[in-house]
């Protein structure tokens, strides 16, 4: 038995959902541990596409249990809608396969209004958040004014907590953000029915995980966002409001560090970013447009066009260290087919200095110019490849170079969005 954390190594949208769906087959439980419905995880099974924002990407396997850990911030409207849509598509969702931590915090209507109001006030300097209320919800958690699932399912406590916080929220929204304000009765009307619907799903997730471990199950932890959107280690302030690194699987799910045995870093074969913030290898030319089109790089949550650029191993080595990666899953290799020459950033030039470690100050990062290594591309369509030997030599050389630069083995290669378009070279559950 072993437990593996899947995390994004770049700025999100690396293909975590797809890889989690593939690996879920080998796990008993699939657990989300941070973020909220700012995430958009896509999987394509038998030609059908599914996008999950909150429900863990193991739900398409009928015999797996999916858990939403205490570290996740949950918009109950989005969760109930996701459950409803899955049921409409014939997928059974109930307390037998989906449980939520009683300690998980609720995203409230005022969190979304504050998120939008602040972005509007910032104008050109906005962060480009997803507008889902993620930051304001984590803020209330840390300042001890949050409302948790254990509060929601007790209407008396829910009413009390809500009324004690609304005065301050209304003042901030109306007087500072000049935003529309909130109505207590409307919130109660909306949220109390969520309590009824979700009550059977609310439990102590930490206890469930520990039981499953004792029974010999593999546990798969599903990260959201990416390492460089981490609140501590990312490109602050152009980050999300949670720790996205593997270490947070422990805090966000309720287990200890000795229960993590492997960390699989998902590496998109090039780099993308949605929202504002520095991006040294960004391509604002026809190759960037080509990658954006071929890779269908539109945000799964907001539909925004993703910014695209070359692979950046300064960024990836940072992720390898911060997460103690034990393996890599390289996704979207097929998207690079047809590009004559590929570039990989191996260092940054900052004035007269050559940097090999990712800088913390945004002023420095913004001034960094990538130092590239060139590799020959390949012209073949590789989406039908079943094993690495089916790949053109140049594609294999590209993967080998990633392994060398990151000093981490490639365990999975993904050459298309479909579940079957995946090569498993080494089982992440067995390799530790
Ligand atoms: P996540 O947030 O990390 O789960 O990634 P997203 O789902 O937001 O974005 C990844 C996109 O790439 C989705 O549309 C996937 O269906 C798609 N995808 C995943 N792996 C591959 C791949 O190997 N090749 C191609 N062409 N598409 C892929
Ligand atoms: P997945 O799990 C890509 C980005 C937003 C914005 C910043 C802050 O699908 O990889 P937030 O709403 O979290 O306060 O926004 O973080 N962002 C993501 N970018 N993929 C995601 O999730 C993201 N979740 C948040 O675009 O720049
Ligand atoms: Mg995504």
């Amino acid at each position: 038995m072993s437990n593996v954390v899947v995390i994004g190594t770049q700025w999100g949208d690396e293909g975590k959902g797809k890889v989690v769906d593939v690996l879920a087959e080998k796990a008993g439980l699939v657990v989300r541990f941070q973020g909220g419905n700012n995430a958009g995880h896509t999987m394509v099974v038998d030609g059908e596409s599914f996008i999950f924002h909150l429900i863990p990407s193991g739900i398409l396997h009928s015999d797996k249990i999916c858990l939403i850990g205490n570290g996740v911030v949950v918009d109950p409207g989005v969760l109930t809608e996701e459950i409803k849509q899955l049921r409409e598509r014939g997928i059974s969702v109930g307390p037998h396969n989906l449980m939520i931590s009683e300690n998980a915090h609720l995203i409230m209507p005022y969190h979304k209004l504050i998120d939008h109001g602040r972005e509007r006030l910032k104008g050109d300097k906005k962060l480009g958040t997803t507008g889902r209320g993620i930051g304001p919800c984590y803020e209330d958690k840390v300042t001890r004014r949050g409302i948790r699932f254990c509060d929601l399912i007790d209407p008396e406590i829910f009413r009390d907590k809500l009324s004690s916080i609304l005065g301050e929220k209304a003042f901030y929204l109306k007087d500072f953000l000049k935003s529309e304000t909130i109505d207590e009765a409307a919130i109660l009307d909306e949220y109390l029915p969520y309590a009824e619907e979700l009550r059977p799903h609310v439990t102590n997730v930490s206890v469930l995980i520990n039981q499953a471990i004792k029974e010999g199950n593999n546990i798969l932890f599903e990260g959201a966002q990416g390492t460089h959107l981490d609140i501590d280690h990312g490109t602050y302030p152009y980050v999300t409001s949670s720790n996205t690194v593997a270490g947070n699987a422990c805090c966000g799910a309720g287990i200890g560090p000795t229960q993590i045995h492997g960390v699989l870093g998902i590496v998109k074969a090039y780099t993308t970013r949605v929202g504002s913030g520095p991006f040294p290898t960004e391509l604002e030319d026809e190759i960037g447009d080509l990658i954006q089109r071929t890779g269908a790089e539109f945000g799964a949550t907001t539909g925004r066009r993703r910014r695209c650029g070359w692979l950046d191993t300064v960024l990836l080595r940072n992720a390898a260290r911060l997460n103690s990666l034990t393996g890599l899953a390289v996704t979207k290799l097929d998207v690079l087919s047809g590009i004559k020459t590929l570039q990989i950033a191996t260092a940054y030039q900052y004035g007269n200095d050559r940097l090999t470690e990712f800088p913390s100050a945004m002023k420095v990062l913004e001034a960094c110019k990538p130092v590239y290594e060139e590799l020959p591309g390949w012209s073949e369509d590789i989406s039908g490849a079943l094993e690495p030997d089916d790949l053109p030599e140049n594609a294999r050389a590209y993967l080998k170079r990633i392994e060398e630069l990151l000093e981490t083995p490639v365990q999975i290669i993904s050459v298309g969005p479909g579940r079957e378009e995946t090569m498993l070279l080494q089982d992440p559950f067995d390799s530790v």
Side-chain angles (χ1 to χ4, degrees):
M1 156 322 279
S2 71
N3 306 324
V4 170
V5 186
V6 167
I7 54 92
T9 55
Q10 293 151 325
W11 279 291
D13 304 325
E14 297 88 352
K16 298 174 292 293
K18 173 191 163 159
V19 173
V20 168
D21 170 64
V22 169
L23 291 179
E25 200 192 325
K26 300 167 183 293
L29 301 184
V30 182
V31 188
R32 275 279 307 264
F33 57 89
Q34 48 70 232
N37 61 311
N38 47 351
H41 296 178
T42 314
M43 50 234 76
V44 178
V45 178
D46 298 331
E48 259 199 86
S49 175
F50 296 83
I51 298 178
F52 299 134
H53 302 288
L54 278 169
I55 295 186
S57 303
I59 201 79
L60 300 179
H61 298 260
S62 58
D63 54 338
K64 307 300 172 188
I65 296 176
C66 291
L67 304 178
I68 296 178
N70 57 277
V72 179
V73 288
V74 180
D75 183 329
V78 173
L79 181 60
T80 49
E81 182 59 29
E82 224 163 71
I83 295 173
K84 181 170 150 249
Q85 285 185 9
L86 277 171
R87 287 182 183 150
E88 282 168 4
R89 294 175 76 171
I91 290 147
S92 154
V93 186
H96 63 287
N97 66 347
L98 178 68
M99 295 302 275
I100 309 155
S101 166
E102 48 205 8
N103 286 336
H105 281 246
L106 291 168
I107 295 184
M108 302 297 293
Y110 44 82
H111 292 139
K112 288 180 266 191
L113 291 172
I114 292 173
D115 197 355
H116 283 289
R118 283 192 185 142
E119 287 281 273
R120 199 184 54 245
L121 271 196
K122 284 202 182 99
D124 288 352
K125 296 205 163 50
K126 69 178 183 197
L127 298 175
T129 73
T130 60
R132 302 301 192 256
I134 305 295
C137 181
Y138 276 117
E139 213 172 291
D140 277 351
K141 171 177 176 172
V142 174
T143 49
R144 296 158 293 188
R145 300 165 167 103
I147 304 182
R148 295 178 296 162
F149 265 86
C150 55
D151 306 321
L152 175 71
I153 59 174
D154 184 329
E156 206 176 314
I157 293 192
F158 183 71
R159 275 197 191 90
D160 278 359
K161 293 215 164 181
L162 185 63
S163 80
S164 73
I165 198 168
L166 278 185
E168 183 188 322
K169 297 296 178 196
F171 174 73
Y172 184 67
L173 279 166
K174 189 161 144 291
D175 291 299
F176 184 71
L177 293 177
K178 315 281 183 227
S179 160
E180 75 182 271
T181 191
I182 33 172
D183 175 46
E184 186 165 351
I187 298 182
L188 287 171
D189 281 351
E190 184 189 348
Y191 275 61
L192 291 176
Y194 296 144
E196 293 318 304
E197 181 172 349
L198 295 173
R199 182 177 286 110
H201 295 265
V202 179
T203 192
N204 184 327
V205 158
S206 166
V207 168
L208 280 191
I209 298 174
N210 281 280
Q211 264 166 10
I213 291 174
K214 278 196 187 138
E215 286 162 14
N217 288 284
N218 289 336
I219 318 288
L220 184 58
F221 294 92
E222 175 179 2
Q225 289 81 53
T227 300
H228 296 87
L229 290 172
D230 183 281
I231 185 73
D232 284 285
H233 303 287
T235 46
Y236 191 91
Y238 301 101
V239 292
T240 191
S241 299
S242 64
N243 284 110
T244 60
V245 292
N248 193 28
C250 295
C251 302
I255 55 159
T258 53
Q259 296 295 356
I260 303 291
H261 308 108
V263 182
L264 181 67
I266 314 298
V267 176
K268 195 182 280 192
Y270 46 93
T271 314
T272 63
R273 170 159 212 174
V274 215
S276 320
F279 178 175
T281 62
E282 182 167 15
L283 288 165
E284 289 173 289
D285 61 7
E286 62 280 12
I287 297 186
D289 287 345
L290 179 74
I291 293 176
Q292 196 276 330
R293 279 198 311 276
T294 318
E297 293 294 353
F298 289 99
T301 297
T302 56
R304 288 177 292 177
R305 201 173 186 274
R306 294 176 182 149
R307 301 155 64 193
C308 297
W310 295 121
L311 192 76
D312 182 345
T313 62
V314 183
L315 194 80
L316 292 174
R317 274 189 285 103
N318 199 40
R321 186 187 70 258
L322 289 166
N323 295 288
S324 298
L325 296 183
T326 52
L328 308 174
V330 178
T331 61
K332 304 195 89 160
L333 192 63
D334 54 302
V335 174
L336 296 181
S337 290
I339 302 177
K340 204 159 177 285
T341 306
L342 300 170
Q343 317 246 31
I344 295 183
T346 54
Y348 296 150
Q349 193 66 34
Y350 175 63
N352 292 327
D353 295 331
R354 176 82 41 124
L355 308 184
T356 52
E357 297 300 343
F358 196 73
S360 293
M362 288 309 99
K363 193 175 155 195
V364 176
L365 187 60
E366 270 157 13
C368 281
K369 299 269 172 280
V371 178
Y372 286 120
E373 181 175 301
E374 273 190 9
L375 277 87
W378 58 91
S379 54
E380 298 88 336
D381 174 6
I382 59 170
S383 54
L386 299 174
E387 46 187 289
D389 284 347
D390 296 339
L391 293 172
E393 196 184 331
N394 289 350
R396 277 184 279 136
Y398 188 74
L399 294 169
K400 187 156 184 294
R401 192 67 187 126
I402 297 175
E403 281 189 329
E404 282 167 4
L405 288 164
L406 270 64
E407 299 178 32
T408 313
V410 173
Q411 297 183 319
I412 292 174
I413 308 167
S414 172
V415 289
R419 191 187 264 176
E420 67 293 348
E421 292 167 305
T422 318
M423 295 174 244
L424 183 64
L425 319 186
Q426 206 179 14
D427 182 345
F429 289 106
D430 283 347
S431 57
V432 281

